[in-house]
Amino acid sequence: LYDEYRGLLTQTNEHRSALNAASKEMGVLAKSMSDPKSKSAMLDLRERARVAKQAIQDIKAQLTEVESRLRNEAAKIPNTTHPDTLIGDETKARVVRTHGDLHNIKTVPVDGVNTLELSNVEFQDHYDLVQRLGIVDMEAGARVAGSRFHYWRGGGALLELALVQYAMTRAAAAGFVPHITPDAARSSVVDACGFRPRSSAEDGGSGEASQIYRMTPVADERGEHSADPLCLVATAEIPLVAMKQQQILDGSSLPESVAGLSHCFRAEAGARGRDTRGIYRLHQFTKVELVTLSHPTHSDTELHRLLDFQTSLYADLGLTFRVLQMPSHELGASAYQKYDIEAWMPGRKQWGEISSASNCTDYQARRLGIRVRGEGQHVFVHTLNATAVAVPRLAVALLESFQRPDGHVVIPSVLRPWMMGMESLAPQK
């Protein structure tokens, strides 16, 4: 494909050179048009110019199509990986550290251990809990929008707002500038951030389903298609990084750290039957995302700063969690290095991912044209992202962890300032 592109580019340049030469000769010849031979030569030159122009136009269409295919293929090339990243699937994930012992278990549960024997308490899973507490309405969500949509209601709605306020307040205190972002972004922006907004067919039959929702205005239904359609964002990372596109930043402004609140939309294609009970895996949810733009020499340090901030949030909520360094197969296209944080969810009797933190180095910045002034030349910044609060996942961990034998769920003290005086969620009467 690259050779085809180069060949067409060479042909275009050859025809353009021929056109320029003909134009130059016509300019010289125009000074002696009184000579009949000059008039004949001028006609020949004009024909040569016409042929060259037509050839350029014919090749231009081919060149545009081949360049589009080439860029599409090039976009599939992922970032490089950190030397410490293990090669393989999720079974190669390395536990970096664990925190908490919420249920007085002598050892924090690890993979391969029969977790059913680790506690004598009979914990309900979150699906049963939210029904008894009356804080989530999945049936209404399904009637209105389809499966895996939901309504928070009553104490559940307050819990979402409390988690958002908790994350935003802590993030602002730590130097992250709060933002509320658009819930939509252009397809080109989504693509530049490492998310695939195209279908398998548009991708040349790659077989991997896109997790992105594309927005289709009514006008498009009449065939007025946009070349760069809007998509619903899967994370606030996309609009937060992209708001600096095509800018050259002052080095003194780095690192730039922001916290963004958005709704997140994910098709979850291929997830049917897997973790789809309740609110664990949804098509729409609320999330507070952290993004840092860093000088390339400082991005490793910034990644661990993000990770330390995340773990402080979850420790103060009282959760039992572990930090994992993720292997190569679990890294998205943009990630150079990634850590996941999983909370122990006693109702599900397993660990569940509640957040992640990634260093994308210059993968996104190159595609979006985000640079920092340097000595001699400008360099691309490094972009990093981390989840502060993904509301449904964190709610699952909190609900299952803090349930009591009388059916109440205790609200962590750090969330109570935003719970209108509620110290626990009570079962419906």
Side-chain angles (χ1 to χ4, degrees):
L1 193 59
Y2 179 70
D3 289 342
E4 184 180 357
Y5 172 75
R6 292 285 298 176
L8 290 169
L9 198 60
T10 299
Q11 292 178 47
T12 301
N13 291 334
E14 289 173 350
H15 289 300
R16 188 169 283 117
S17 295
L19 177 61
N20 291 337
S23 298
K24 187 175 181 180
E25 289 182 45
M26 283 190 288
V28 173
L29 200 59
K31 298 176 182 178
S32 58
M33 286 301 293
S34 58
D35 187 347
K37 290 183 179 180
S38 296
K39 292 180 179 180
S40 177
M42 181 66 79
L43 291 174
D44 289 340
L45 287 171
R46 285 174 177 169
E47 178 61 17
R48 281 168 52 191
R50 186 194 66 78
V51 170
K53 283 182 180 179
Q54 186 60 51
I56 291 171
Q57 289 299 316
D58 292 343
I59 295 173
K60 184 178 180 181
Q62 297 179 58
L63 188 63
T64 300
E65 189 270 335
V66 172
E67 183 179 9
S68 177
R69 286 164 53 201
L70 181 61
R71 288 183 177 277
N72 187 41
E73 291 300 316
K76 296 177 184 178
I77 301 173
N79 202 347
T80 57
T81 55
H82 191 282
D84 290 346
T85 298
L86 295 174
I87 306 300
D89 60 17
E90 60 184 358
T91 62
K92 299 293 185 181
R94 181 172 65 89
V95 178
V96 177
R97 63 181 181 271
T98 58
H99 178 93
D101 185 10
L102 190 62
H103 306 300
N104 298 317
I105 299 167
K106 292 182 180 179
T107 58
V108 175
V110 294
D111 294 335
V113 174
N114 183 359
T115 55
L116 293 173
E117 298 175 359
L118 290 175
S119 176
N120 294 323
V121 179
E122 186 64 36
F123 290 97
Q124 299 176 30
D125 78 4
H126 80 278
Y127 183 78
D128 294 327
L129 281 169
V130 298
Q131 302 302 314
R132 295 184 184 184
L133 295 170
I135 60 174
V136 172
D137 193 336
M138 299 295 296
E139 292 183 1
R143 286 195 302 271
V144 171
S147 63
R148 281 186 269 171
F149 287 91
H150 72 299
Y151 285 85
W152 286 109
R153 63 183 299 274
L158 293 179
L159 179 61
E160 167 158 322
L161 295 172
L163 285 168
V164 168
Q165 289 277 25
Y166 170 64
M168 278 295 201
T169 301
R170 290 281 293 265
F176 295 85
V177 179
H179 286 68
I180 298 177
T181 74
D183 285 342
R186 298 184 187 278
S187 181
S188 58
V189 168
V190 175
D191 201 6
C193 289
F195 297 82
R196 305 295 291 168
R198 291 173 295 279
S199 68
S200 175
E202 292 170 314
D203 246 352
S206 67
E208 182 179 349
S210 174
Q211 301 299 322
I212 299 295
Y213 283 103
R214 182 181 294 162
M215 297 171 64
T216 305
V218 174
D220 283 4
E221 296 174 4
R222 299 196 298 267
E224 301 171 19
H225 298 292
S226 168
D228 195 7
L230 287 174
C231 297
L232 295 173
V233 298
T235 167
E237 168 196 343
I238 296 169
L240 287 174
V241 171
M243 66 181 178
K244 295 295 183 178
Q245 64 181 315
Q246 304 305 325
Q247 292 188 30
I248 299 174
L249 308 178
D250 193 330
S252 63
S253 71
L254 299 182
E256 288 193 15
S257 297
V258 295
L261 171 66
S262 77
H263 292 113
C264 303
F265 300 86
R266 301 186 183 181
E268 295 291 1
R272 187 174 299 171
R274 181 165 59 93
D275 294 330
T276 56
R277 175 178 164 89
I279 61 172
Y280 188 83
R281 191 177 296 276
L282 297 167
H283 290 313
Q284 176 188 336
F285 58 94
T286 302
K287 181 157 72 82
V288 176
E289 184 77 0
L290 310 172
V291 163
T292 292
L293 304 184
S294 164
H295 192 279
T297 57
H298 299 149
S299 63
D300 282 343
T301 300
E302 288 302 314
L303 178 60
H304 287 90
R305 183 173 78 93
L306 288 170
L307 194 59
D308 288 344
F309 177 78
Q310 290 174 299
T311 55
S312 72
L313 287 180
Y314 310 139
D316 289 349
L317 284 169
L319 293 172
T320 294
F321 60 88
R322 64 181 184 179
V323 179
L324 300 94
Q325 185 174 8
M326 302 308 291
S328 58
H329 293 190
E330 293 298 304
L331 272 58
S334 61
Y336 169 71
Q337 187 176 26
K338 178 186 175 188
Y339 291 92
D340 277 2
I341 299 177
E342 295 181 339
W344 177 246
M345 299 178 179
R348 300 177 77 240
K349 297 181 173 61
Q350 62 188 67
W351 296 99
E353 180 189 343
I354 56 172
S355 69
S356 63
S358 299
N359 183 356
C360 299
T361 60
D362 62 359
Y363 182 96
Q364 296 171 328
R366 283 182 180 274
R367 288 156 176 77
L368 291 167
I370 310 172
R371 293 177 290 170
V372 59
R373 289 186 179 86
E375 295 182 6
Q377 65 178 1
H378 305 318
V379 296
F380 291 103
V381 301
H382 282 191
T383 62
L384 304 96
N385 62 81
T387 304
V389 163
V391 171
R393 291 289 179 90
L394 207 50
V396 170
L398 294 172
L399 292 168
E400 293 191 1
S401 296
F402 301 137
Q403 57 184 294
R404 292 292 179 260
D406 62 1
H408 285 67
V409 173
V410 176
I411 297 167
S413 59
V414 293
L415 299 181
R416 293 178 189 173
W418 301 283
M419 290 297 296
M420 299 183 66
M422 297 173 61
E423 295 185 357
S424 66
L425 299 171
Q428 291 187 114
K429 295 181 179 179

